[in-house]
Amino acid sequence: MNEETTPLALITGASSGLGAAFARQLAARGCDLILVARRREKLTALAAELIKEYTIHVDILPSDLSGEAGIHRVEERIRVLSRLDYLINNAGFGLAGEFIRQSMEKNLAMLQVHCATPARLAHAALPGMLAHGGGVIINVSSISAFTPMAGNVQYCATKDYLVTFSRALQLETHHQGIKIQALCPGFFHSEFHTVMRANKKSIPAWLFMPADEVARRSLAALRNKRVIYTPGFLNQLVVFVVRLPGLGNGLLTLFARQIARRRRDFLKVRE
C-alpha cells in the first residue's frame, strides 16, 4: 500500500480499553493511525507494539480532551491532514455517586469530553471527508443512553446526546458517502469499567464482552445502514426491553434501584 492510498484513522481515548482495541483492529486492516489520549507513556507503548506487528505508520498526540487546549490541538491536527478515513470518538470517563454529591467541575469536564469534543472533532474532520467523497465517524456511546439511572445521571445524559447527534449527522451526510455510527456497548473488559465500578464481582461475568470483540463488531456493522449499533444479543435485548412502554419503564426503575444500591454500598465500604 502506498502513502496515497493507505487509510488513516484518528482514535481518541486510545491508550487502553476500547480505544486500543480499535487501534489494533484498524492496524490489522493496514490503517495508519493517530492515537490520542492523556497518557504519553501508554500511547508510546501501544504505538511501538503496533509498528512492530504491522507495516503501518503510527503517530501519538498526547492531549487532555477535558480542556480547551487539548481539544484545539487535535482539531488543528485534523485540519492539516491530507485525508482522514476514520474518526473514532472514544474518549470518556465515568463518575460514581449521586449527581448532587459530585464535583460540578468534573461534571463539566464530562460534558466537554463526551459531547463538545466529538462534535468539534467531527466538525474538523467532515470537510476533508466530504472532499474525498467518504469517511467514517464512530461516536462511542453506551446502552446507558437508553437506560437512565440514579447514580449515573450525567454519564447517561451525555451518552444519549451522542446517539441523537449521530442520527442527525447521518441524515445530513449519508448522501455524500459519510458513515456515522453511534456505538452503544454494554459491559466489556476494560480499564474504564474497572475504574468506573472498581468491583466486577457485583456484575455477572457473562455480561462482559472482550473490548477487541466490541471493536471488531462495530467495524463490521459499518456495512449495514444502521446508525445506532449495540453489539451482542444480550445488550440488544436489554435495549429492546427497557424501551417497551410500561413494562420497560418498570424494569428499568427496578434495575436502576439495584445498581444505585450497590454503588452506595460500595462507596460506604471505600469510605
Side-chain angles (χ1 to χ4, degrees):
M1 232 179 231
N2 60 49
E3 189 175 349
E4 290 182 355
T5 60
T6 302
L8 176 64
L10 186 145
I11 306 167
T12 69
S15 60
S16 64
L18 188 55
F22 269 115
R24 293 187 179 99
Q25 292 285 334
L26 290 167
R29 296 180 176 207
C31 286
D32 288 339
L33 302 172
I34 300 174
L35 306 179
V36 180
R38 291 181 296 111
R39 297 172 293 185
R40 178 184 292 271
E41 67 281 359
K42 285 189 170 287
L43 290 178
T44 301
L46 178 59
E49 170 198 326
L50 296 174
I51 291 170
K52 182 177 180 180
E53 187 168 357
Y54 304 100
T55 308
I56 60 170
H57 182 78
V58 181
D59 284 339
I60 65 169
L61 189 59
S63 301
D64 183 352
L65 298 178
S66 66
E68 175 61 30
I71 301 173
H72 182 72
R73 186 181 186 198
V74 182
E75 282 179 313
E76 290 305 300
R77 182 60 179 275
I78 290 173
R79 290 191 178 107
V80 300
L81 294 172
S82 59
R83 67 178 295 155
L84 180 63
D85 299 275
Y86 294 87
L87 171 61
I88 314 293
N89 283 313
N90 169 71
F93 65 96
L95 296 172
E98 295 177 350
F99 176 74
I100 192 64
R101 300 180 185 277
Q102 294 170 355
S103 158
M104 198 62 226
E105 182 180 0
K106 290 182 179 178
N107 270 273
L108 291 174
M110 181 178 283
L111 284 170
Q112 189 88 293
V113 174
H114 290 189
C115 302
T117 295
R120 289 176 61 171
L121 299 190
H123 192 268
L126 278 170
M129 290 182 173
L130 292 170
H132 286 94
V136 170
I137 298 175
I138 296 176
N139 297 313
V140 178
S141 180
S142 167
I143 62 170
S144 295
F146 313 108
T147 58
M149 62 183 67
N152 220 14
V153 172
Q154 189 78 293
Y155 185 84
C156 295
T158 56
K159 292 303 183 180
D160 192 13
Y161 165 83
L162 286 173
V163 169
T164 301
F165 174 71
S166 299
R167 278 186 173 137
L169 191 58
Q170 182 67 100
L171 289 173
E172 288 189 350
T173 61
H174 76 282
H175 290 304
Q176 296 161 290
I178 307 298
K179 292 184 178 180
I180 311 291
Q181 181 188 101
L183 172 61
C184 300
F187 296 121
F188 57 90
H189 296 289
S190 71
E191 181 180 349
F192 170 84
H193 280 118
T194 300
V195 172
M196 180 71 177
R197 297 183 327 281
N199 186 9
K200 286 188 176 182
K201 293 180 181 179
S202 66
I203 298 173
W206 50 267
L207 284 177
F208 286 82
M209 293 179 67
D212 284 340
E213 180 68 9
V214 175
R216 185 190 66 78
R217 292 191 184 197
S218 169
L219 294 170
L222 292 170
R223 291 193 295 264
N224 63 45
K225 296 182 179 180
R226 285 186 297 168
V227 180
I228 313 306
Y229 176 63
T230 300
F233 174 75
L234 286 175
N235 293 324
Q236 292 168 6
L237 182 61
V238 168
V239 172
F240 173 78
V241 170
V242 300
R243 298 176 83 177
L244 290 174
L247 174 63
N249 288 335
L251 291 174
L252 176 58
T253 300
L254 179 62
F255 178 68
R257 286 175 178 170
Q258 290 296 318
I259 293 296
R261 180 182 59 79
R262 287 180 176 180
R263 280 191 174 148
R264 284 195 298 270
D265 291 345
F266 174 67
L267 290 172
K268 288 178 181 177
V269 170
R270 290 190 69 187
E271 291 172 356

PDB file of all heavy atoms in Angstrom, residues 214-231:
ATOM      1  N   VAL A 214     -15.877  -6.036  20.774  1.00  0.00           N
ATOM      2  CA  VAL A 214     -16.730  -4.858  20.584  1.00  0.00           C
ATOM      3  C   VAL A 214     -16.244  -4.048  19.380  1.00  0.00           C
ATOM      4  O   VAL A 214     -17.034  -3.651  18.517  1.00  0.00           O
ATOM      5  CB  VAL A 214     -16.739  -3.970  21.850  1.00  0.00           C
ATOM      6  CG1 VAL A 214     -17.520  -2.681  21.593  1.00  0.00           C
ATOM      7  CG2 VAL A 214     -17.350  -4.730  23.023  1.00  0.00           C
ATOM      8  N   ALA A 215     -14.931  -3.805  19.306  1.00  0.00           N
ATOM      9  CA  ALA A 215     -14.371  -3.026  18.194  1.00  0.00           C
ATOM     10  C   ALA A 215     -14.562  -3.746  16.866  1.00  0.00           C
ATOM     11  O   ALA A 215     -14.914  -3.131  15.855  1.00  0.00           O
ATOM     12  CB  ALA A 215     -12.887  -2.749  18.445  1.00  0.00           C
ATOM     13  N   ARG A 216     -14.340  -5.060  16.857  1.00  0.00           N
ATOM     14  CA  ARG A 216     -14.477  -5.835  15.622  1.00  0.00           C
ATOM     15  C   ARG A 216     -15.906  -5.784  15.105  1.00  0.00           C
ATOM     16  O   ARG A 216     -16.153  -5.563  13.913  1.00  0.00           O
ATOM     17  CB  ARG A 216     -14.062  -7.291  15.862  1.00  0.00           C
ATOM     18  CG  ARG A 216     -14.052  -8.151  14.603  1.00  0.00           C
ATOM     19  CD  ARG A 216     -13.880  -9.611  14.927  1.00  0.00           C
ATOM     20  NE  ARG A 216     -15.021 -10.148  15.646  1.00  0.00           N
ATOM     21  CZ  ARG A 216     -16.176 -10.486  15.081  1.00  0.00           C
ATOM     22  NH1 ARG A 216     -16.350 -10.319  13.770  1.00  0.00           N
ATOM     23  NH2 ARG A 216     -17.165 -10.974  15.806  1.00  0.00           N
ATOM     24  N   ARG A 217     -16.866  -5.963  16.002  1.00  0.00           N
ATOM     25  CA  ARG A 217     -18.271  -5.950  15.591  1.00  0.00           C
ATOM     26  C   ARG A 217     -18.699  -4.560  15.131  1.00  0.00           C
ATOM     27  O   ARG A 217     -19.495  -4.424  14.201  1.00  0.00           O
ATOM     28  CB  ARG A 217     -19.154  -6.415  16.753  1.00  0.00           C
ATOM     29  CG  ARG A 217     -18.987  -7.872  17.118  1.00  0.00           C
ATOM     30  CD  ARG A 217     -20.076  -8.309  18.072  1.00  0.00           C
ATOM     31  NE  ARG A 217     -19.900  -9.683  18.519  1.00  0.00           N
ATOM     32  CZ  ARG A 217     -20.855 -10.405  19.075  1.00  0.00           C
ATOM     33  NH1 ARG A 217     -22.071  -9.876  19.252  1.00  0.00           N
ATOM     34  NH2 ARG A 217     -20.631 -11.637  19.474  1.00  0.00           N
ATOM     35  N   SER A 218     -18.181  -3.539  15.790  1.00  0.00           N
ATOM     36  CA  SER A 218     -18.512  -2.166  15.396  1.00  0.00           C
ATOM     37  C   SER A 218     -18.069  -1.896  13.963  1.00  0.00           C
ATOM     38  O   SER A 218     -18.843  -1.365  13.146  1.00  0.00           O
ATOM     39  CB  SER A 218     -17.833  -1.183  16.352  1.00  0.00           C
ATOM     40  OG  SER A 218     -17.915   0.141  15.871  1.00  0.00           O
ATOM     41  N   LEU A 219     -16.842  -2.252  13.641  1.00  0.00           N
ATOM     42  CA  LEU A 219     -16.326  -2.017  12.293  1.00  0.00           C
ATOM     43  C   LEU A 219     -17.075  -2.861  11.260  1.00  0.00           C
ATOM     44  O   LEU A 219     -17.361  -2.394  10.152  1.00  0.00           O
ATOM     45  CB  LEU A 219     -14.826  -2.308  12.251  1.00  0.00           C
ATOM     46  CG  LEU A 219     -13.960  -1.352  13.078  1.00  0.00           C
ATOM     47  CD1 LEU A 219     -12.524  -1.870  13.180  1.00  0.00           C
ATOM     48  CD2 LEU A 219     -13.972   0.048  12.482  1.00  0.00           C
ATOM     49  N   ALA A 220     -17.407  -4.094  11.622  1.00  0.00           N
ATOM     50  CA  ALA A 220     -18.157  -4.956  10.704  1.00  0.00           C
ATOM     51  C   ALA A 220     -19.556  -4.397  10.446  1.00  0.00           C
ATOM     52  O   ALA A 220     -20.094  -4.511   9.338  1.00  0.00           O
ATOM     53  CB  ALA A 220     -18.249  -6.373  11.261  1.00  0.00           C
ATOM     54  N   ALA A 221     -20.145  -3.764  11.468  1.00  0.00           N
ATOM     55  CA  ALA A 221     -21.511  -3.236  11.351  1.00  0.00           C
ATOM     56  C   ALA A 221     -21.596  -2.033  10.426  1.00  0.00           C
ATOM     57  O   ALA A 221     -22.700  -1.629  10.031  1.00  0.00           O
ATOM     58  CB  ALA A 221     -22.054  -2.865  12.728  1.00  0.00           C
ATOM     59  N   LEU A 222     -20.465  -1.456  10.069  1.00  0.00           N
ATOM     60  CA  LEU A 222     -20.474  -0.317   9.147  1.00  0.00           C
ATOM     61  C   LEU A 222     -21.006  -0.703   7.770  1.00  0.00           C
ATOM     62  O   LEU A 222     -21.410   0.158   6.989  1.00  0.00           O
ATOM     63  CB  LEU A 222     -19.070   0.267   9.004  1.00  0.00           C
ATOM     64  CG  LEU A 222     -18.502   0.969  10.244  1.00  0.00           C
ATOM     65  CD1 LEU A 222     -17.025   1.271  10.046  1.00  0.00           C
ATOM     66  CD2 LEU A 222     -19.283   2.248  10.551  1.00  0.00           C
ATOM     67  N   ARG A 223     -21.019  -2.005   7.494  1.00  0.00           N
ATOM     68  CA  ARG A 223     -21.516  -2.462   6.188  1.00  0.00           C
ATOM     69  C   ARG A 223     -23.022  -2.277   6.048  1.00  0.00           C
ATOM     70  O   ARG A 223     -23.542  -2.205   4.944  1.00  0.00           O
ATOM     71  CB  ARG A 223     -21.160  -3.944   5.975  1.00  0.00           C
ATOM     72  CG  ARG A 223     -19.669  -4.202   5.787  1.00  0.00           C
ATOM     73  CD  ARG A 223     -19.430  -5.611   5.277  1.00  0.00           C
ATOM     74  NE  ARG A 223     -19.839  -6.603   6.251  1.00  0.00           N
ATOM     75  CZ  ARG A 223     -19.003  -7.184   7.115  1.00  0.00           C
ATOM     76  NH1 ARG A 223     -17.721  -6.841   7.132  1.00  0.00           N
ATOM     77  NH2 ARG A 223     -19.435  -8.085   7.971  1.00  0.00           N
ATOM     78  N   ASN A 224     -23.729  -2.242   7.184  1.00  0.00           N
ATOM     79  CA  ASN A 224     -25.180  -2.026   7.095  1.00  0.00           C
ATOM     80  C   ASN A 224     -25.492  -0.548   7.267  1.00  0.00           C
ATOM     81  O   ASN A 224     -24.610   0.276   7.460  1.00  0.00           O
ATOM     82  CB  ASN A 224     -25.934  -2.894   8.117  1.00  0.00           C
ATOM     83  CG  ASN A 224     -25.574  -2.539   9.550  1.00  0.00           C
ATOM     84  OD1 ASN A 224     -25.508  -1.367   9.913  1.00  0.00           O
ATOM     85  ND2 ASN A 224     -25.339  -3.552  10.384  1.00  0.00           N
ATOM     86  N   LYS A 225     -26.743  -0.193   7.198  1.00  0.00           N
ATOM     87  CA  LYS A 225     -27.136   1.215   7.212  1.00  0.00           C
ATOM     88  C   LYS A 225     -27.621   1.689   8.580  1.00  0.00           C
ATOM     89  O   LYS A 225     -28.136   2.793   8.701  1.00  0.00           O
ATOM     90  CB  LYS A 225     -28.231   1.453   6.161  1.00  0.00           C
ATOM     91  CG  LYS A 225     -27.757   1.218   4.735  1.00  0.00           C
ATOM     92  CD  LYS A 225     -28.859   1.523   3.729  1.00  0.00           C
ATOM     93  CE  LYS A 225     -28.366   1.309   2.307  1.00  0.00           C
ATOM     94  NZ  LYS A 225     -29.418   1.602   1.306  1.00  0.00           N
ATOM     95  N   ARG A 226     -27.418   0.874   9.606  1.00  0.00           N
ATOM     96  CA  ARG A 226     -27.872   1.271  10.938  1.00  0.00           C
ATOM     97  C   ARG A 226     -26.911   2.278  11.553  1.00  0.00           C
ATOM     98  O   ARG A 226     -25.704   2.048  11.597  1.00  0.00           O
ATOM     99  CB  ARG A 226     -27.979   0.052  11.852  1.00  0.00           C
ATOM    100  CG  ARG A 226     -29.182  -0.824  11.571  1.00  0.00           C
ATOM    101  CD  ARG A 226     -29.287  -1.927  12.605  1.00  0.00           C
ATOM    102  NE  ARG A 226     -28.131  -2.819  12.550  1.00  0.00           N
ATOM    103  CZ  ARG A 226     -27.852  -3.737  13.484  1.00  0.00           C
ATOM    104  NH1 ARG A 226     -28.628  -3.849  14.540  1.00  0.00           N
ATOM    105  NH2 ARG A 226     -26.809  -4.521  13.354  1.00  0.00           N
ATOM    106  N   VAL A 227     -27.452   3.371  12.026  1.00  0.00           N
ATOM    107  CA  VAL A 227     -26.616   4.380  12.683  1.00  0.00           C
ATOM    108  C   VAL A 227     -26.339   3.964  14.121  1.00  0.00           C
ATOM    109  O   VAL A 227     -25.217   4.129  14.621  1.00  0.00           O
ATOM    110  CB  VAL A 227     -27.297   5.765  12.661  1.00  0.00           C
ATOM    111  CG1 VAL A 227     -26.431   6.810  13.353  1.00  0.00           C
ATOM    112  CG2 VAL A 227     -27.615   6.173  11.235  1.00  0.00           C
ATOM    113  N   ILE A 228     -27.338   3.438  14.808  1.00  0.00           N
ATOM    114  CA  ILE A 228     -27.192   3.038  16.204  1.00  0.00           C
ATOM    115  C   ILE A 228     -26.866   1.550  16.246  1.00  0.00           C
ATOM    116  O   ILE A 228     -27.651   0.726  15.770  1.00  0.00           O
ATOM    117  CB  ILE A 228     -28.477   3.312  17.013  1.00  0.00           C
ATOM    118  CG1 ILE A 228     -29.002   4.718  16.724  1.00  0.00           C
ATOM    119  CG2 ILE A 228     -28.223   3.105  18.502  1.00  0.00           C
ATOM    120  CD1 ILE A 228     -27.990   5.823  16.943  1.00  0.00           C
ATOM    121  N   TYR A 229     -25.718   1.204  16.815  1.00  0.00           N
ATOM    122  CA  TYR A 229     -25.323  -0.204  16.851  1.00  0.00           C
ATOM    123  C   TYR A 229     -24.975  -0.621  18.273  1.00  0.00           C
ATOM    124  O   TYR A 229     -24.122  -0.017  18.930  1.00  0.00           O
ATOM    125  CB  TYR A 229     -24.127  -0.461  15.940  1.00  0.00           C
ATOM    126  CG  TYR A 229     -23.646  -1.896  16.029  1.00  0.00           C
ATOM    127  CD1 TYR A 229     -24.481  -2.942  15.636  1.00  0.00           C
ATOM    128  CD2 TYR A 229     -22.398  -2.206  16.556  1.00  0.00           C
ATOM    129  CE1 TYR A 229     -24.076  -4.259  15.751  1.00  0.00           C
ATOM    130  CE2 TYR A 229     -21.984  -3.526  16.666  1.00  0.00           C
ATOM    131  CZ  TYR A 229     -22.833  -4.548  16.262  1.00  0.00           C
ATOM    132  OH  TYR A 229     -22.437  -5.861  16.378  1.00  0.00           O
ATOM    133  N   THR A 230     -25.661  -1.664  18.741  1.00  0.00           N
ATOM    134  CA  THR A 230     -25.398  -2.258  20.054  1.00  0.00           C
ATOM    135  C   THR A 230     -24.864  -3.667  19.840  1.00  0.00           C
ATOM    136  O   THR A 230     -25.597  -4.534  19.342  1.00  0.00           O
ATOM    137  CB  THR A 230     -26.681  -2.310  20.904  1.00  0.00           C
ATOM    138  OG1 THR A 230     -27.172  -0.989  21.095  1.00  0.00           O
ATOM    139  CG2 THR A 230     -26.405  -2.936  22.258  1.00  0.00           C
ATOM    140  N   PRO A 231     -23.610  -3.934  20.176  1.00  0.00           N
ATOM    141  CA  PRO A 231     -23.050  -5.273  19.950  1.00  0.00           C
ATOM    142  C   PRO A 231     -23.496  -6.274  21.007  1.00  0.00           C
ATOM    143  O   PRO A 231     -23.559  -5.956  22.201  1.00  0.00           O
ATOM    144  CB  PRO A 231     -21.532  -5.022  20.042  1.00  0.00           C
ATOM    145  CG  PRO A 231     -21.401  -3.839  20.948  1.00  0.00           C
ATOM    146  CD  PRO A 231     -22.614  -2.995  20.697  1.00  0.00           C
TER     147      PRO A 231
END
